Amino acid sequence: MAEFKLKKGFDIKVAGKADLELTDLGAPKKVALQPTDFRGYKPKLEVEVGSQVKKGSPLFHLKSNEAIKFVSPVSGKVVEINRGERRAIVEVVVENDSKDEALKFDTFSDSTTKEQIIDTMSKGGMWPLVRQRPFSKIANPADTPRDIFISGMDTAPLAADMKFIMQGLEKDFQLGVNIISKLTEGKIYLSTESGAEGIPAFQNVINVEKNTFSGPHPAGNVGVQIHHIKPVKRDIVWYVQPYAVAMIGQFFRTGEYASERIVAIAGHALKKKQYFKTILGVPVASLITEANLAHPDCRLISGNVLTGRKVLHKGYVGYYDNLISVIPEGPKERRLIGWYRPGFNLRSHSKSFLSTWVNRDENEVDTLLNGGDRTFVMSGDYENVLPMDVYPVYLAKSIMAEDIEEMEGLGILEVDEEDLALCSYICPSKNDFGKIVRQGLDLIEKEG
Amino acid sequence: MKFLHDLIEKQKPLFDKGGKLEKYFPIFEMTETILFWTNARTKSGPHIRGGLDTKRYMMMVVVALLPMTLFGMYNTGLQHFQAVGEVASFMDAFMFGFWQVLPLIIVSYAVGGFWEVLFAIIRKHEVNEGFLVTGLLFPLILPATMPLWQAAIGISFGVVIGKEVFGGTGMNILNPALTGRAFLFFAYPGKISGDKVWIAIDSAKDKVIDGFSGATPLLAATSAEGNQSAATAVSEAGFSVMDMFYGFVPGSWGETSVLAALIGAAILIVTGVGSWRIMLSVVLGGMAMGTLMNMLAGEGSSPILSLPAYMHLLMGGFALGTVFMATDPVSAAQTSTGKWIYGFLIGLLAVLIRAVNPAYPEGMMLAILFMNVFAPLIDYFVVQANIKRRLSRA
């Protein structure tokens, strides 16, 4: 066990953390799976509107790998298949008939082999919970990962409380660890926050190598942790969220698709901020009523404010997300010489705003871009918010030049959007590092 | 405010695509966004962005330059009245200097701004705020007596050759303000070197006092004669260490005060706009070379070799160059390690040029420009080391 004390990074203190209060919402009337949550893959439908499904019945699979199924979290009827640009499927909506009929899958015993685990998880819709680095996409079951990483901490703004969402999942988490440890010949690494109150599921778990991390965001990002524990070179590692590990455990314990999810709603644009126990694919509207919005013009984000995806009120929570962040949209009115106001309320990484100097623990944020697009002018500061041995601007420039050798040399395979989100946040020229990095990763994947 | 806002909004269709004045959109955009802050929103993640934009980033430098500017105005007047043997009040001195240098500032902003906007229109991009800094830095490093037409040519050269030919702010290799000054230095040396130009005197009208020299401390140090040490020569020329620190000495009008530069440095460092690594390493480099020169000084060597190292930091453009020129984020080294090397070499070279180049007492300008050229190379090696490190680790 090692202790990693990271200095670089930055905590954007956004007001409106969720209160530790859990409402059991049960299964909503409608749920949806969104193929767009699975970057880099195309879906192939197995149902059509009107198909009857059980909990655990496949709705679609990956075009590139038929074995990997995406299954219905409820029993009922497919009522909508919504398409977006270029007819890409964006939502497969299932209406819940509350009969709770479920397909049965194999349970786990000590004699279960790696192949059986992969097969059962793929059939049972659990495989997409396992993702890989580089590229941050669903793991390829044909690969043998060097190691598997679990980040037991989330340092992003308004992140769901890890201890709170993991309560009562101790046994399932251990079982999940035992199962995924059969998938690799390497180790299972679990990173936890040093100094934080113990999380029972993590404290007593065995079969893992534990490391502790401390420091500002993005210390909790799995990519940052991999970089410090054992960086990827040309090898592949897998990663799973802790809650997903517990769900994998539950799936193999019960033999039923583990669709339960805990979702936090947070952000100062909400009147009431809390946690819900519900199921995968829950509609945003089931969690956030219009009456709960404290602001007339809000942005709803599935995920955190840095890397989440904008969702509509009539949309659905993302596959990997356990948080809906709600913040006000930027004001429409334009402030006279606003770029040079003293900045009591304007939050920034830069100390050129008075908000740095007057005591403000948490800031109300909005979606203003706070500037216009420019070329890179600032230097140095980007490195200060990325606790990795990576030069973000050089990496970005090598990507813009489409120089694959250079970008690999500069560490593109070690990062993804979420690791560089703070670089975009602080950039005075308003560059989007995440988008640039994804272009580079896509290029590498395409060129092989 | 509403009136102004509506007025601008009303003009917008003229400049938008298909409008009559579509070509001049950058001018409109510039005016519009300077007056009224953008209300553009983020489209995707990160959904929130920091409040710092390039306008504010650049304006922090302008604010940090204000102490130097205001002090420079006062000192221009002070030097004038001392030269003609008059006692003037603080306000008189300041106002004299103000009227003396204001045209330089206006010419710099107007002519430089013209090029900036012209290129923005031709290239169809927004006017970059980097010019706010260049436009003020450039006049600060000129003698107060600089003819305006020469200043106009200088800033034109700096902006066009120093920046725009490379693709504009962010792409340039050299510091534009220094490029402009270097051009003037080589094109019109009579107006930017020697001992006649540093103090604003109208030879037709003003009568200078007896024993007036007009030399800068640096010139005094290099022209020490016989066995006189450089330090003695400086003090005999009437410059005390404290005078040089406060800036009550002749020189380019905005560069003389080390104290004002330190205030600027504090602003830049605290706000994170200027790199403390570069500033510190320039000073260390200067001290190192100064000390080495002291060791080499001896019988028959050039007198400036004996100048105490710390005095180099107080003289000429060292302070302003360290705080405002070397730290230009675009033309400086970009990597942390690179910044240490880059800064250290600037300090080293500046003092070396001062000491061994008899024709030219000031070395700061050339040292910075020289290292501007090498900054990408330094970064290249730092970045290659990063690549090697990544390849070699287990």
Side-chain angles (χ1 to χ4, degrees):
Chain A
M1 174 172 150
E3 200 181 341
F4 296 93
K5 290 183 181 151
L6 307 186
K7 294 256 157 54
K8 293 172 170 183
F10 182 62
D11 280 323
I12 309 166
K13 293 184 178 115
V14 179
K17 252 190 175 328
D19 298 323
L20 298 180
E21 188 191 317
L22 187 68
T23 303
D24 193 341
L25 201 67
K29 193 74 202 125
K30 268 186 193 174
V31 293
L33 251 54
Q34 303 167 84
T36 43
D37 285 339
F38 313 105
R39 190 166 43 208
Y41 290 110
K42 289 206 175 80
K44 187 130 180 40
L45 283 172
E46 295 197 12
V47 291
E48 51 197 28
V49 173
S51 300
Q52 289 292 332
V53 291
K54 291 179 181 170
K55 177 171 146 186
S57 306
L59 299 176
F60 54 90
H61 59 251
L62 294 183
K63 214 171 197 172
S64 56
N65 188 343
E66 212 179 310
I68 298 177
K69 311 282 190 195
F70 296 79
V71 304
S72 173
V74 294
S75 66
K77 194 170 77 175
V78 177
V79 287
E80 286 169 47
I81 293 174
N82 297 322
R83 290 172 187 270
E85 275 174 50
R86 282 188 277 171
R87 302 213 10 99
I89 303 159
V90 292
E91 284 164 357
V92 179
V93 186
V94 180
E95 195 174 65
N96 184 5
D97 62 9
S98 306
K99 287 185 192 149
D100 221 17
E101 291 173 304
L103 290 185
K104 279 289 179 186
F105 300 97
D106 295 340
T107 52
F108 179 76
S109 71
D110 288 338
S111 60
T112 310
T113 63
K114 178 186 171 189
E115 287 68 31
Q116 286 169 326
I117 292 171
I118 292 174
D119 183 55
T120 314
M121 282 180 73
S122 305
K123 257 195 309 204
M126 299 302 286
W127 188 258
L129 294 174
V130 182
R131 285 178 285 174
Q132 69 157 66
R133 284 291 185 111
F135 305 119
S136 304
K137 57 176 192 177
I138 298 172
N140 179 357
D143 291 331
T144 305
R146 191 196 68 205
D147 299 294
I148 299 178
F149 288 82
I150 303 168
S151 169
M153 56 195 280
D154 192 343
T155 46
L158 300 175
D161 185 280
M162 191 61 77
K163 188 177 181 186
F164 192 70
I165 63 170
M166 289 305 289
Q167 61 189 349
L169 294 172
E170 294 78 14
K171 286 201 175 124
D172 283 341
F173 183 73
Q174 179 67 65
L175 183 59
V177 166
N178 296 346
I179 292 161
I180 59 171
S181 66
K182 291 205 168 191
L183 301 177
T184 173
E185 277 152 25
K187 289 179 179 160
I188 306 286
Y189 289 98
L190 171 65
S191 314
T192 55
E193 196 162 9
S194 56
E197 289 170 79
I199 295 172
F202 301 157
Q203 264 175 344
N204 307 316
V205 66
I206 54 167
N207 283 344
V208 296
E209 177 164 318
K210 288 186 205 171
N211 293 291
T212 61
F213 278 82
S214 63
H217 187 64
N221 283 12
V222 74
V224 172
Q225 295 169 355
I226 296 169
H227 177 85
H228 287 278
I229 297 168
K230 202 173 173 195
V232 284
K233 276 177 81 180
R234 293 243 60 164
D235 39 15
I236 286 170
V237 298
W238 288 354
Y239 65 99
V240 193
Q241 292 167 325
Y243 189 88
V245 173
M247 286 302 104
I248 292 170
Q250 198 192 85
F251 169 73
F252 277 102
R253 176 169 58 81
T254 60
E256 267 185 37
Y257 181 59
S259 61
E260 205 168 272
R261 293 291 184 273
I262 291 178
V263 180
I265 59 167
H268 54 93
L270 286 177
K271 287 176 194 151
K272 188 166 166 56
K273 309 157 249 288
Q274 61 162 133
Y275 289 77
F276 289 101
K277 188 179 226 172
T278 178
I279 67 167
L280 181 69
V282 63
V284 174
S286 306
L287 308 178
I288 299 169
T289 56
E290 296 273 4
N292 194 9
L293 297 175
H295 200 272
D297 190 12
C298 289
R299 179 171 301 185
L300 285 71
I301 301 155
S302 178
N304 67 58
V305 291
L306 288 175
T307 53
R309 186 163 53 88
K310 194 164 152 179
V311 284
L312 299 174
H313 194 245
K314 59 171 195 199
Y316 301 86
V317 178
Y319 190 86
Y320 297 106
D321 299 328
N322 60 8
L323 170 69
I324 297 282
S325 312
V326 186
I327 56 173
E329 290 282 2
K332 281 221 175 70
E333 115 262 8
R334 306 177 58 169
R335 285 172 225 205
L336 190 73
I337 326 226
W339 53 278
Y340 218 48
R341 63 200 150 120
F344 281 108
N345 298 311
L346 201 60
R347 77 288 174 220
S348 169
H349 171 253
S350 157
K351 292 188 176 65
S352 72
F353 295 88
L354 282 171
S355 60
T356 315
W357 307 99
V358 295
N359 186 23
R360 288 182 76 90
D361 285 342
E362 289 184 332
N363 287 294
E364 306 212 328
V365 300
D366 59 39
T367 64
L368 271 187
L369 187 58
N370 294 321
D373 293 329
R374 298 289 188 274
T375 48
F376 287 108
V377 289
M378 189 170 73
S379 76
D381 271 5
Y382 302 109
E383 285 83 14
N384 292 336
V385 295
L386 180 64
M388 295 170 108
D389 186 16
V390 167
Y391 289 106
V393 177
Y394 284 91
L395 177 59
K397 288 185 176 170
S398 72
I399 296 168
M400 291 169 179
E402 303 198 336
D403 182 342
I404 290 184
E405 199 180 326
E406 182 90 352
M407 43 179 131
E408 287 188 3
L410 289 169
I412 191 172
L413 297 177
E414 297 191 52
V415 298
D416 81 352
E417 289 94 330
E418 62 174 14
D419 302 325
L420 291 169
L422 280 173
C423 295
S424 313
Y425 172 78
I426 67 164
C427 185
S429 310
K430 310 296 166 189
N431 288 293
D432 187 345
F433 283 77
K435 203 163 138 192
I436 297 170
V437 158
R438 183 48 62 186
Q439 280 165 5
L441 288 170
D442 286 347
L443 187 71
I444 292 175
E445 278 204 282
K446 207 175 82 190
E447 307 279 316
Chain B
M1 290 318 104
K2 179 111 181 54
F3 159 75
L4 197 57
H5 187 237
D6 291 348
L7 185 80
I8 286 186
E9 284 293 309
K10 218 185 278 173
Q11 312 307 319
K12 195 163 184 189
L14 272 178
F15 294 93
D16 272 341
K17 272 226 164 75
K20 243 196 237 162
L21 301 171
E22 180 191 349
K23 257 200 273 181
Y24 304 102
F25 181 75
I27 301 179
F28 176 75
E29 200 262 1
M30 177 180 73
T31 325
E32 185 198 26
T33 55
I34 285 178
L35 277 175
F36 290 101
W37 208 33
T38 170
N39 59 357
R41 293 169 175 177
T42 57
K43 292 197 181 74
S44 57
H47 298 272
I48 61 173
R49 296 293 189 99
L52 187 67
D53 70 343
T54 43
K55 281 193 180 60
R56 191 182 187 93
Y57 189 77
M58 296 299 176
M59 273 311 276
M60 287 318 298
V61 186
V62 173
V63 167
L65 276 171
L66 284 183
M68 302 220 76
T69 312
L70 295 176
F71 180 86
M73 288 172 173
Y74 168 64
N75 187 51
T76 303
L78 184 77
Q79 294 300 324
H80 165 83
F81 288 114
Q82 276 178 358
V84 297
E86 278 177 39
V87 179
S89 72
F90 174 83
M91 258 341 264
D92 284 346
F94 180 82
M95 288 320 290
F96 178 90
F98 178 79
W99 290 116
Q100 181 72 30
V101 301
L102 186 66
L104 282 175
I105 300 178
I106 292 175
V107 163
S108 169
Y109 270 119
V111 176
F114 165 77
W115 291 113
E116 191 76 30
V117 171
L118 183 71
F119 276 90
I121 291 172
I122 294 172
R123 292 220 182 89
K124 300 187 176 34
H125 64 57
E126 291 98 347
V127 177
N128 198 297
E129 294 80 10
F131 182 68
L132 294 171
V133 176
T134 308
L136 183 56
L137 261 179
F138 177 73
L140 286 179
I141 51 176
L142 297 178
T145 57
M146 196 83 203
L148 294 181
W149 66 271
Q150 288 183 5
I153 293 177
I155 189 71
S156 301
F157 189 88
V159 170
V160 177
I161 306 294
K163 189 165 78 172
E164 294 302 342
V165 294
F166 294 102
T169 305
M171 312 288 182
N172 50 312
I173 293 169
L174 301 173
N175 182 314
L178 273 183
T179 310
R181 189 188 199 273
F183 171 78
L184 290 181
F185 179 80
F186 291 110
Y188 307 102
K191 293 293 180 193
I192 200 167
S193 55
D195 57 4
K196 299 278 180 286
V197 301
W198 307 109
I199 297 172
I201 295 164
D202 185 345
S203 50
K205 235 170 39 193
D206 296 324
K207 238 182 100 186
V208 296
I209 53 168
D210 292 339
F212 169 77
S213 100
T216 63
L218 206 49
L219 200 58
T222 44
S223 44
E225 276 164 15
N227 288 329
Q228 201 183 27
S229 78
T232 323
V234 172
S235 74
E236 272 180 12
F239 306 122
S240 75
V241 168
M242 285 325 278
D243 279 347
M244 291 191 284
F245 177 73
Y246 291 128
F248 300 122
V249 291
S252 292
W253 70 268
E255 73 175 11
T256 58
S257 175
V258 178
L259 178 65
L262 284 176
I263 297 171
I267 295 174
L268 291 184
I269 291 172
V270 163
T271 56
V273 169
S275 164
W276 61 269
R277 284 188 185 87
I278 293 178
M279 296 184 207
L280 181 60
S281 56
V282 174
V283 169
L284 290 177
M287 287 299 286
M289 185 50 91
T291 312
L292 180 70
M293 288 297 158
N294 290 167
M295 284 190 247
L296 295 177
E299 204 72 23
S301 66
S302 168
I304 195 169
L305 294 190
S306 66
L307 190 73
Y310 75 91
M311 284 179 81
H312 276 291
L313 311 184
L314 303 177
M315 286 182 172
F318 199 95
L320 182 136
T322 303
V323 176
F324 295 101
M325 297 290 188
T327 55
D328 170 7
V330 175
S331 57
Q334 312 271 316
T335 56
S336 295
T337 318
K339 282 174 181 164
W340 285 111
I341 302 169
Y342 163 86
F344 192 79
L345 289 177
I346 287 180
L348 218 67
L349 281 174
V351 173
L352 182 71
I353 296 172
R354 283 178 178 183
V356 302
N357 182 355
Y360 183 41
E362 175 56 298
M364 200 58 184
M365 175 181 86
L366 290 180
I368 296 173
L369 285 174
F370 192 70
M371 289 316 297
N372 280 170
V373 174
F374 279 97
L377 188 68
I378 297 171
D379 283 331
Y380 175 79
F381 285 116
V382 174
V383 169
Q384 288 305 311
N386 175 276
I387 293 176
K388 284 209 188 86
R389 206 153 57 232
R390 180 162 288 105
L391 283 175
S392 66
R393 75 189 171 196

